[in-house]
Amino acid sequence: MTLPTQTTVKELDPVFAEMATVSFQLTGPGTQLTPRERTLLNLVADVCEQVLGMPFELHVRAALDNGLDADDLRELFRFISYDSGYPAALAALERLAEVERKHGLPGPTGKGHHVNADGTGSPLPAAMRAEVRALDPGFADYMDLQSRMRAGMSRISVRERAFATMTVDVLYQTLQESFRAHVGRALSAGATPDEVRAAVRATATFGMTRTWRALNVLDALLADREEGRQGKRSAGDA
């Protein structure tokens, strides 16, 4: 495999390589996130930031080293396209195909999922759908379509999808409605508050100040959630 390695980075600037290595090590260690999850989140960040040169190739290499294949990566880019934006995801798909050709990597097998673009309804929570429809019916139709088209995806787990969309939120600083929903999805998928925090912290290497702001918002969300849980327990004991 001729994809770039850390040695390639050292050849450009050994001091930068040292700084980057220890920075990624500090945001990535521990058992909160798996190596596969960290790789997926790095690729999501690449799409959002449109960083499709050497960093993207390094992350593709890491993905392959962690057992992900060409079909998995394409599902990831398809999945995040509604949050990252279709043009950003398309640019990443084009670059991925170029990297595969350039380095002789296995390409996709063509395996996908049923898109269900002509269906009706949505797997989103009813309360969320009603709130969005009251805001703008046309946008609600668009949101229903986006969620429905992704309902059949299975190569990327629900937990991984939640972390991926949280990463988009942090990098785009959409830390209101969508971030709350995506944090809730991660917790509902079995992630602990510490694991959710680790997923947010993993974005720091792509822009520390945005992560700082997101951690403040996350703290408030988790506190509200715990307060609500305690309130329900108190009501049940009454």
Side-chain angles (χ1 to χ4, degrees):
M1 189 185 301
T2 58
L3 283 167
T5 65
Q6 290 303 316
T7 300
T8 314
V9 182
K10 289 180 182 178
E11 290 171 351
L12 289 173
D13 185 335
V15 177
F16 177 87
E18 181 181 1
M19 292 169 60
T21 297
V22 297
S23 296
F24 276 93
Q25 286 174 347
L26 189 60
T27 58
T31 59
Q32 292 100 335
L33 300 180
T34 68
R36 170 184 161 111
E37 286 170 342
R38 291 196 296 270
T39 296
L40 289 172
L41 299 190
N42 285 339
L43 285 165
V44 172
D46 289 337
V47 175
C48 292
E49 302 290 89
Q50 288 294 278
V51 178
L52 302 177
M54 184 192 295
F56 182 75
E57 292 194 11
L58 285 167
H59 296 150
V60 169
R61 181 188 185 97
L64 299 177
D65 289 345
N66 283 296
L68 290 151
D69 62 24
D71 292 313
D72 296 330
L73 298 184
R74 280 162 175 78
E75 178 160 297
L76 174 69
F77 295 158
R78 292 184 205 118
F79 174 71
I80 66 169
S81 61
Y82 75 117
D83 274 342
S84 70
Y86 277 89
L90 178 58
L93 284 168
E94 180 184 38
R95 178 63 176 137
L96 176 60
E98 180 183 299
V99 169
E100 289 167 344
R101 289 192 300 270
K102 175 182 175 183
H103 298 290
L105 302 175
T109 65
K111 294 178 182 177
H113 71 285
H114 177 54
V115 173
N116 193 25
D118 297 326
T120 59
S122 164
L124 291 174
M128 179 189 295
R129 293 181 65 205
E131 180 180 337
V132 174
R133 189 157 294 280
L135 177 67
D136 187 280
F139 180 69
D141 290 340
Y142 181 82
M143 184 178 284
D144 281 352
L145 172 65
Q146 298 308 308
S147 59
R148 187 169 65 244
M149 288 196 298
R150 288 158 174 78
M153 292 183 171
S154 60
R155 305 185 73 89
I156 307 299
S157 73
V158 174
R159 171 184 158 120
E160 290 167 342
R161 287 182 239 169
F163 287 165
T165 49
M166 284 169 50
T167 298
V168 178
D169 286 327
V170 175
L171 295 177
Y172 286 177
Q173 290 289 280
T174 49
L175 300 175
Q176 294 78 38
E177 298 86 356
S178 60
F179 187 59
R180 181 174 66 247
H182 297 151
V183 168
R185 181 188 298 167
L187 294 168
S188 297
T192 67
D194 282 345
E195 289 168 337
V196 170
R197 186 179 299 280
V200 172
R201 189 170 59 247
T203 65
T205 49
F206 293 88
M208 186 182 73
T209 53
R210 291 178 294 188
T211 306
W212 185 3
R213 175 60 187 150
L215 285 170
N216 273 305
V217 174
L218 177 62
D219 263 357
L221 288 176
L222 294 176
D224 287 346
R225 190 179 180 92
E226 181 59 27
E227 184 178 329
R229 186 180 294 109
Q230 290 178 354
K232 287 181 181 179
R233 281 200 296 263
S234 297
D237 293 338

